[in-house]
Amino acid sequence: MLSETERQNAAEAILDAERTRKVCPQPSRTWPAMTLEDAYDVQRRWAEARSAQGASIVGRKIGLTSRAMQQASKMTEPDYGVILDDALYYDGARIKAGTFIKPRLEVELAFVMGEDLAGAGCQVHDVLRATEFVQPALEVIDYRTETPRQIVDTIADNAAFGAIILGGRTIRPFDVDLRWVAATLSQNGVIEESGVSAAVMGHPAAGLAWLVNKLAPLGGGLKKGDIVLGGSFTRPVDIASGDVIFADFGPLGSIGVGFE
């Protein structure tokens, strides 16, 4: 476990890396005793500092939802972070690539909560009942620390969240079988990735159920209006200035965005 001072120093190092666009040393290297509890507290301090600068938390993101990514990170469960309003974009946006350090893009579904959801024992059907609508989304992931990273580094770094892009159709959660939402991701006219949403823990709402259960002992949960990214069902694609991205979700529409 880290001291209060060490946790605060770790949060400030990540804040400074974000501000300067220069990665900082991994917290796990600077503070080898860092635990998962420490890492989430560092993330909380980072989020509070960003809020003090004027940003607002508008939801949550869930990461490491695929078995392959968990094995790569030596984890047996997902992780989570927060979504800030100054990192929220929509279909057709022109985004400055220089906002990020080394951005990569993933294909996901976003859940917008229609009611609060909290408490132990949450299941997929509870998530679906509490969800107002589901929408196609892209997530920009970005690292503010050096690599290779331990899981505590990723968590402290807000689960590598960079930005969220929303688009396509909004659908009610029971209108389609959410397990079989498929998408292709094109970069500059070339399809680089494709996937199906069942790759996210068997059901894209499963990550939200996991998160609600994870937050229950802490007295937390999801709130009405929260945007929640359920996890990627494609591998990340590196992006840079000049890239044009098009994600085709078939019947659920598409998302087009450019980086400049």
Side-chain angles (χ1 to χ4, degrees), residues 112-178:
V112 177
M113 306 308 297
E115 58 186 66
D116 293 353
L117 184 61
C122 182
Q123 302 291 327
V124 166
H125 57 263
D126 298 312
V127 173
L128 298 180
R129 279 198 298 260
T131 298
E132 183 174 6
F133 59 84
V134 180
Q135 185 173 11
L138 298 174
E139 181 185 1
V140 179
I141 58 174
D142 197 24
Y143 292 157
R144 270 74 58 170
T145 74
E146 294 175 353
T147 57
R149 291 155 54 105
Q150 302 295 322
I151 185 58
V152 291
D153 302 317
T154 301
I155 292 170
D157 191 16
N158 195 33
F161 176 76
I164 175 178
I165 306 156
L166 296 175
R169 288 179 53 206
T170 56
I171 58 169
R172 292 174 296 185
F174 292 106
D175 281 356
V176 300
D177 186 346
L178 290 177

Side-chain angles (χ1 to χ4, degrees), residues 49-98:
R50 292 284 277 104
S51 295
Q53 295 169 358
S56 297
I57 295 175
V58 294
R60 302 268 190 170
K61 69 146 290 183
I62 305 165
L64 302 180
T65 52
S66 73
R67 183 63 177 154
M69 290 301 292
Q70 288 178 13
Q71 289 176 329
S73 302
K74 299 180 182 179
M75 282 286 284
T76 58
E77 66 177 20
D79 65 358
Y80 62 87
V82 297
I83 297 173
L84 301 177
D85 63 344
D86 61 3
L88 175 60
Y89 299 91
Y90 294 93
D91 180 32
R94 300 289 299 178
I95 303 173
K96 294 187 181 300

Side-chain angles (χ1 to χ4, degrees), residues 3 5 28 48 62 93 121 130 170 179 191 198 208 215 224 228 255:
S3 67
T5 299
S28 65
E48 287 180 349
I62 305 165
T170 56
R179 298 174 303 156
I191 295 177
L208 280 75
L215 295 174
K224 180 179 180 180
V228 188
I255 302 173

